[in-house]
Amino acid sequence: QITERLQRTLRALRGTVHVDEKALEPALKDLRMALLEADVNYGVVKEFLASVREKALGEQVMASLTPGQQVIRVVNEEMTALLGGAQVPLSLVGPSPHVVLLVGLQGAGKTTTAAKLGHFLRRKGHSPMLASVDVYRPAAREQLLQVAKSANLAAFEGAAETPQEIADAAQAAARKDGHDVLLLDTAGRLHVDEEMMAEAAALSAAFSPCVTLYVADSLAGQDAVNSVKAFADRVGLDGIILSKLDGDSRGGVALSIVSVTGLPVLFVGVGEKFGDLETYHPDRIASRILG
Amino acid sequence: LLPSEKVDAATLESLEEALISADVGPITAAELVEGLQEAAPTGEETRRLLRESMVRILEAPENGNRAEPEPGRETPWVALLVGVNGSGKTTTTAKLAARFQKHGCSILMGAADTFRAAAVEQLCVWGERLDVPVVAHQSGGDPAAVVYDACAAGSARGADVVLIDTAGRLHTKDNLMAELAKMHRSAGKVIDGAPDEVWLVLDATTGQNGLRQAEDFLTHAGITGLILAKLDGSARGGVALSIAHRLSLPIRYVGTGEGTDDLEPFDPEAFVDGLLG
Ligand SMILES: Nc1nc2c(ncn2[C@@H]2O[C@H](COP(=O)(O)OP(=O)(O)OP(=O)(O)O)[C@@H](O)[C@H]2O)c(=O)[nH]1
Ligand SMILES: Nc1nc2c(ncn2[C@@H]2O[C@H](COP(=O)(O)OP(=O)(O)OP(=O)(O)O)[C@@H](O)[C@H]2O)c(=O)[nH]1
Ligand SMILES: [Mg+2]
Ligand SMILES: [Mg+2]
C-alpha cells in the first residue's frame, strides 16, 4: 500500500543518480498521509519524515538500487529500527513469586491477556497463578476465574475486598502453593482519572512488580501515546503488549508508543483464546503499518 | 494576527493538526481545511466557519432525529448493541436500560454474548442492579436463539423495550459477521420490523480503523447509528465525524463513564468543541 504509493511517486526519480530533494518532497507528502491514515501519532510522523529525509538525502545511492528504491529501503529500515530492532524477552528476576502487573485502559484486553501470559509462562516451565484486583467491573473477578480455568491455570479466589488486600492474599497463596509467578489483572482505568491512577501507583509501590506490562489496543488512534506516557510516569512500565492484532487495524499505534516511550513490545495478542499470544516481530509490524 | 485579517497558512495548519490529533483522519481534516481556504475567512471567522461545517456534517444523517421509545407501546421496540471487542457494548446496554426505564418504559435485556467468559454474568449484574429481567441461555449456545427468545419474552410480557447485548467481534471475521446478520433476522422473525435500531458502540480511542468497522458493520449488521463510548477519557472520537460524513450514520449517544447514568444524547456542538479543543 504505502510502498506501492511511494513507488509511484518516486518514479520521478527514475533516471536520476542521486535522491533529489525536490523529487523527494511529494514522496514524503504521500508517506505522511499514509502514516497518519495508519494511526501513527502526528508528532511521531513528523520526526519519522525528518529522519527519512536526512537519511535518504545523505546516503550514497547503492549501485544495485534506483534512487526511488533507495528511499523505500530507507523508509523500511527506519521503521523497523524505530519499532525496536531486537526481541526483548520477559525477564523474571528477584524473589519468587515474581509479580507481573497488567495495566491499561478499559477494554484493552488485560483479563484475556492474563490467561494468555499464564499459558505462555507455564509452557516455559513456570508455575503461574492469576489474580484479579478489579473490584469495580461487574463479574470481572468471575471472568478472570473462568479464563484461568479454561487455560487450566491456578487462580486466586478469596474474600478480600480491596485491591491491596486481594493482592496481599494472592501473594501469600502463591507463595504457599509454590507458584513462581503471580499475574495481577487490574481494573481498566483512564489516565485522566487521578484516583484510579493513584491506586495503580500504590499497587506498584506496595508489591514491587518484577514486570509491569501495559496492554495497548492496536485499534487505537492518536491519543494512545498520551495514556501510555501517563502510565509510564505514574505507575512505571517495563513493556507493552499489543492486543487485537488479528483485526485489520494498521497498528500505527505500535510505532507511536515505542518511539515515544522507548519501551519494548513483548507480545502481541492475535485472538480471544488463551493460545492467541505471539512474540513481537518488529519487521512484521513495520510491513503492516507500511501496508 | 489581527482578527479581521485573512487567516494565514500557519493557523490553517494548526487547525489541521488539531483535527488529526482528535482522530478526524488526515483526509477529512484536509477536506475541512481546504473548505476553509476556499471560503477565505478572516482570523476570527475561521474557527466559527470550521465549527459550523463540522456541526453540519454531524446533523446531516437522517435517522439522527429518530425518536426514543415511549412507554405503552403495542409491540416492543428492539435495539441490538454491536461492535468490536471491548468497545463498551455491555455497559452501554445497561445505560440504555437505565435511561429508558427513567422515561417510564418497561425493559427486558437479552444476553446474546454466549461466547465470552462471564459475559452473561456481567449483564445479569446490571439487570439485578436495575431490576430489569435478562433473558440468557447456556454459555456456548446459539446467540440467534437468545435474540429470538428475548424478543418473544418481550412480546409476551408487553415490554416496551428489548435491548440485546452481543459479543464483541472484529469486523474482519466473516463467520462472526454472518452470525450477527442471523441475529438480526431472528429479531424480525418474532417482532415485525425488529430490530428498530442497530447501534455500533465505538470506543472513543479508536483510530482510522473505526471507519472500516462502521463500513463492515453497516454491510453485515445494518447498523442505524453510533454510540461513542469512553468520551470521558482524553481521546476525542474524531473518527465518528468521518463515519457520519462518509456513511451518513448519526451519532445517537455518548458514553461518559462506567456507571449507568453515564450516557448522554449526542450533542453535535459540544462534540465539535471537544474535537477542536
Ligand atoms: N480479537 C481479539 N479480541 C481480544 C484480544 N484480546 C482481548 N480480546 C477481547 O477484547 C475484549 C476485552 O477483553 P478484556 O480482557 O475483558 O479486556 P480488559 O482490558 O480486561 O477490560 P477491562 O477490565 O474492562 O478494562 C474481550 O471481548 C476479549 O475477548 C485479541 O488479541 N484479539
Ligand atoms: N471510562 C469509561 N469506561 C467505559 C465506558 N463504557 C464502557 N466502559 C468500560 O469499558 C470496559 C469494557 O466495557 P464492556 O461493556 O465490557 O465492553 P464490551 O464491548 O461489552 O466488551 P466485549 O463484550 O468483551 O466485547 C469496562 O471496563 C467498562 O466499564 C465509558 O463510557 N467510559
Ligand atoms: Mg478486565
Ligand atoms: Mg460485552
Side-chain angles (χ1 to χ4, degrees):
Chain A
Q1 260 281 10
I2 296 191
T3 318
E4 284 175 33
R5 282 164 65 161
L6 277 184
Q7 278 170 346
R8 264 179 281 135
T9 320
L10 289 168
R11 270 197 210 119
L13 287 172
R14 213 188 274 163
T16 63
V17 176
H18 288 293
V19 176
D20 171 70
E21 174 132 32
K22 220 154 136 264
L24 187 61
E25 280 321 302
L28 291 181
K29 206 149 165 277
D30 240 11
L31 182 58
R32 173 185 176 274
M33 198 49 137
L35 290 174
L36 290 173
E37 285 184 318
D39 290 320
V40 181
N41 178 270
Y42 190 90
V44 173
V45 171
K46 256 190 175 167
E47 288 180 21
F48 183 74
L49 292 177
S51 68
V52 166
R53 177 184 291 112
E54 187 181 357
K55 283 231 161 59
L57 294 178
E59 282 187 354
Q60 295 284 25
V61 182
M62 296 173 77
S64 54
L65 298 177
T66 64
Q69 288 172 330
Q70 181 79 345
V71 174
I72 291 173
R73 198 201 60 157
V74 168
V75 171
N76 262 290
E77 283 182 354
E78 276 300 290
M79 174 80 56
T80 307
L82 255 186
L83 284 168
Q87 278 174 30
V88 174
L90 180 65
S91 139
L92 300 171
V93 293
S96 183
H98 310 293
V99 176
V100 176
L101 191 64
L102 289 172
V103 298
L105 300 175
Q106 289 88 346
K110 299 174 292 300
T111 305
T112 311
T113 300
K116 292 177 180 180
L117 268 178
H119 174 73
F120 170 84
L121 287 170
R122 200 190 39 209
R123 291 187 65 189
K124 290 251 163 175
H126 294 279
S127 171
M129 171 181 249
L130 274 56
S132 167
V133 294
D134 183 350
V135 300
Y136 309 97
R137 169 174 158 153
R141 279 172 282 176
E142 178 61 22
Q143 182 188 2
L144 190 282
L145 291 176
Q146 287 188 18
V147 294
K149 184 152 177 272
S150 70
N152 219 341
L153 295 165
F156 172 74
E157 197 175 352
E161 292 291 319
T162 72
Q164 292 270 352
E165 288 171 354
I166 296 170
D168 249 331
Q171 195 175 41
R175 204 170 274 133
K176 171 167 161 293
D177 296 346
H179 294 287
D180 68 329
V181 183
L182 175 64
L183 287 163
L184 281 183
D185 176 27
T186 67
R189 69 202 65 221
L190 296 175
H191 67 282
V192 295
D193 184 336
E194 181 45 46
E195 215 174 303
M196 287 300 282
M197 291 305 284
E199 173 193 279
L203 275 172
S204 178
F207 294 93
S208 308
C210 179
V211 189
T212 301
L213 299 173
Y214 182 86
V215 180
D217 192 330
S218 65
L219 304 173
Q222 296 285 318
D223 193 66
V225 292
N226 297 327
S227 38
V228 67
K229 261 197 272 172
F231 275 80
D233 290 341
R234 292 296 309 277
V235 187
L237 301 176
D238 299 297
I240 309 287
I241 297 184
L242 279 173
S243 68
K244 308 178 198 171
L245 266 171
D246 45 321
D248 62 355
S249 157
R250 300 278 292 286
V253 68
L255 182 62
S256 307
I257 288 180
V258 169
S259 77
V260 161
T261 64
L263 290 167
V265 177
L266 297 186
F267 299 100
V268 299
V270 293
E272 299 191 69
K273 303 201 232 61
F274 59 85
D276 295 330
L277 190 75
E278 294 179 355
T279 45
Y280 171 68
H281 295 280
D283 56 325
R284 282 187 209 165
I285 300 291
S287 61
R288 183 186 181 115
I289 295 175
L290 292 173
Chain B
L1 179 74
L2 292 173
S4 57
E5 278 180 9
K6 286 271 170 280
V7 69
D8 63 358
T11 304
L12 290 176
E13 185 180 328
S14 76
L15 281 173
E16 190 174 6
E17 177 173 353
L19 291 171
I20 291 172
S21 299
D23 285 316
V24 167
I27 295 180
T28 305
E31 286 175 1
L32 286 169
V33 170
E34 272 162 38
L36 280 181
Q37 274 181 315
E38 288 173 11
T42 61
E44 73 190 3
E45 285 180 320
T46 306
R47 216 178 141 91
R48 183 179 58 83
L49 275 176
L50 179 59
R51 272 188 93 258
E52 285 176 5
S53 66
M54 290 166 75
V55 170
R56 262 200 308 278
I57 289 172
L58 294 166
E59 291 182 332
E62 296 239 329
N63 16 335
N65 291 322
R66 275 235 278 268
E68 289 184 308
E70 303 254 297
R73 290 179 55 98
E74 294 256 329
T75 60
W77 177 97
V78 181
L80 278 174
L81 282 301
V82 306
V84 303
N85 307 76
S87 65
K89 300 173 292 299
T90 304
T91 312
T92 301
T93 304
K95 291 175 182 180
L96 288 166
R99 177 178 173 85
F100 298 149
Q101 192 180 51
K102 283 214 187 80
H103 295 175
C105 296
S106 59
I107 322 270
L108 183 140
M109 296 193 292
D113 180 353
T114 57
F115 171 77
R116 207 209 68 209
V120 170
E121 289 88 327
Q122 184 185 2
L123 191 67
C124 284
V125 170
W126 286 120
E128 283 170 30
R129 291 182 187 177
L130 296 172
D131 193 19
V132 166
V134 179
V135 166
H137 287 187
Q138 291 283 12
S139 126
D142 178 7
V146 180
V147 174
Y148 189 95
D149 281 358
C151 290
S155 270
R157 297 186 205 201
D160 297 309
V161 172
V162 175
L163 294 163
I164 302 179
D165 180 28
T166 69
R169 69 202 67 222
L170 292 179
H171 52 289
T172 46
K173 312 215 165 167
D174 293 342
N175 59 329
L176 297 183
M177 297 307 284
E179 176 185 87
L180 202 49
K182 185 170 171 232
M183 292 165 74
H184 192 286
R185 287 193 299 275
S186 272
K189 283 191 188 135
V190 186
I191 297 171
D192 250 347
D196 294 80
E197 303 280 1
V198 179
W199 285 329
L200 175 69
V201 180
L202 188 69
D203 189 325
T205 65
T206 310
Q208 296 313 296
N209 192 253
L211 192 54
R212 303 289 308 269
Q213 292 174 26
E215 284 167 350
D216 288 351
F217 275 92
L218 181 60
T219 305
H220 296 283
I223 56 174
T224 57
L226 300 174
I227 297 180
L228 203 51
K230 308 178 196 173
L231 216 49
D232 46 321
S234 57
R236 281 161 287 159
V239 70
L241 181 79
S242 294
I243 294 171
H245 190 36
R246 304 230 207 137
L247 303 178
S248 192
L249 282 167
I251 303 172
R252 298 300 301 268
Y253 302 94
V254 298
T256 57
E258 303 190 65
T260 49
D261 285 342
D262 298 325
L263 186 80
E264 298 168 15
F266 180 65
D267 175 352
E269 307 249 350
F271 181 68
V272 169
D273 283 340
L275 292 182
L276 291 178

